[in-house]
Amino acid sequence: MSRPSRRGWLGLALAVAVLAGGAALFVTGSGRTDDAEQEVVAAQAAVDEQAAANQTGAQIQRHLARVRRVAREVPRQTNELLTSAAAVLTGSRDASAANAALVAAVRASDYNAYNAGIVTAQTTSDARADAQSSYSGDSAQLNGLINQIQEALTAARDLLEG
Amino acid sequence: VVTILVRVLSAVALVGGLVLGGLGIKAHQDAAQDEDRAAALVSEADDLREDSPPARRAIVARERAVTRLDRQVQALEAAVFDYARRETVVIVALNEAADRMRAGDTAGAVASVDANVAPNLARLDALIDAHQSASFDLRAAQENLAEVLG
């Protein structure tokens, strides 16, 4: 039985070393590939989730834009309401003063003062009623704007809460 | 025989090592590509996140502002219409007192005024104050809404 030469043993050692190196490369490469594939899956899921959230966000922004559009009308309408409310307030004060004068006339049993006061009270009451009528229209307008804003905000909130 | 065995083993080990090494290199290349792709996706997700608006805070702030405005509009409306209703009561009570006065029942007229007119006149004054206060608060609520909306 012949013994292998020194060169043969060296060749075997080298081949084994190549095998070991190849196996190490294979094992580490496979493990790295598995990890990287999981990273890709997780990152893709994050992208999809964020993209979906952004799509909802865009819809929400459209509702908020509607809120802004409607709300631009609010200062003007509020001013009109406050102007008519001020007229009502003036009417209320005049009417209260007229009624107080009537009370004084009754307490004093002053028929003439009462009869004169009735005319004033009626006039002030009518003026106040006119102002209140105007106020009602302005109030309805502002309430309409508020309702539109609330509807848009409700729609945005519904989207936000899924 | 040993020599042949050594040569066969050497050949097998060499070929196996080269094959495994090749597969390993390929696996590392694939993994590197996947890692680059994952990094790109993470970056894309970050970009998308930056685009995402802070919707909840915006909605809550606007809801609060518009609710405050609505509340003040209702408060003003209550003051205005309550005044009208209360004034009707005063006028009816005044007419009754005046009828007594005209009938010569001076004491009855004064008693009627004290019982039915004076308390309602005081409530009318309170409603005037409420009206004035609600007007002021309504202006503030409108300014608050404008501020929230920027």
Side-chain angles (χ1 to χ4, degrees):
Chain A
M1 193 167 72
S2 63
R3 289 179 58 196
S5 63
R6 183 185 171 86
R7 199 175 150 196
W9 286 116
L10 277 174
L12 178 60
L14 185 63
V16 169
V18 169
L19 179 63
L25 264 178
F26 180 74
V27 170
T28 56
S30 298
R32 190 178 160 196
T33 301
D34 290 345
D35 291 346
E37 280 175 356
Q38 285 178 4
E39 280 178 30
V40 169
V41 169
Q44 184 64 57
V47 168
D48 292 346
E49 188 181 337
Q50 194 58 48
N54 283 17
Q55 195 178 3
T56 305
Q59 287 176 297
I60 289 172
Q61 287 307 310
R62 277 196 288 278
H63 287 299
L64 292 181
R66 187 178 155 216
V67 169
R68 270 194 298 279
R69 271 199 310 278
V70 176
R72 276 195 212 111
E73 299 294 315
V74 169
R76 181 188 56 77
Q77 194 54 51
T78 303
N79 282 339
E80 290 190 15
L81 179 65
L82 287 173
T83 301
S84 55
V88 174
L89 187 62
T90 301
S92 298
R93 285 183 174 134
D94 292 346
S96 278
N99 287 328
L102 287 177
V103 167
V106 172
R107 286 189 199 282
S109 295
D110 187 340
Y111 304 100
N112 293 332
Y114 188 86
N115 289 335
I118 279 288
V119 176
T120 305
Q122 190 61 52
T123 304
T124 55
S125 187
D126 289 348
R128 189 193 177 281
D130 288 344
Q132 183 174 311
S133 175
S134 172
Y135 164 87
S136 293
D138 291 332
S139 183
Q141 292 277 333
L142 185 56
N143 274 317
L145 294 177
I146 289 171
N147 287 341
Q148 286 184 52
I149 292 172
Q150 286 173 330
E151 280 171 14
L153 286 173
T154 301
R157 179 172 276 281
D158 288 347
L159 279 170
L160 189 71
E161 293 175 351
Chain B
V1 174
V2 176
T3 302
I4 292 168
L5 191 63
V6 165
R7 284 183 181 166
V8 169
L9 283 175
S10 298
V12 169
L14 186 63
V15 170
L18 289 173
V19 169
L20 283 175
L23 289 173
I25 289 169
K26 176 77 170 59
H28 274 287
Q29 287 173 341
D30 290 347
Q33 282 180 353
D34 282 349
E35 284 166 0
D36 289 345
R37 192 164 160 236
L41 286 169
V42 167
S43 173
E44 186 182 342
D46 287 343
D47 291 345
L48 286 170
R49 207 165 284 126
E50 281 174 14
D51 291 344
S52 173
R56 183 174 297 278
R57 265 181 301 160
I59 291 171
V60 168
R62 283 155 181 74
E63 280 176 340
R64 279 186 187 150
V66 81
T67 299
R68 181 178 164 189
L69 180 68
D70 188 30
R71 206 165 43 232
Q72 295 313 326
V73 170
Q74 303 313 319
L76 181 58
E77 202 162 302
V80 168
F81 290 105
D82 280 357
Y83 185 99
R85 279 189 287 273
R86 183 71 61 185
E87 193 192 24
T88 304
V89 174
V90 166
I91 288 168
V92 170
L94 265 173
N95 284 338
E96 286 175 3
D99 286 344
R100 286 172 187 255
M101 179 180 69
R102 286 193 194 96
D105 181 8
T106 307
V110 172
S112 178
V113 160
D114 288 342
N116 303 319
V117 180
N120 282 309
L121 277 182
R123 285 175 194 156
L124 286 177
D125 287 341
L127 285 171
I128 287 173
D129 291 342
H131 180 141
Q132 199 164 15
S133 173
S135 295
F136 181 78
D137 292 342
L138 176 59
R139 168 75 67 197
Q142 180 264 306
E143 287 171 353
N144 176 61
L145 178 65
E147 194 176 321
V148 166
L149 289 168

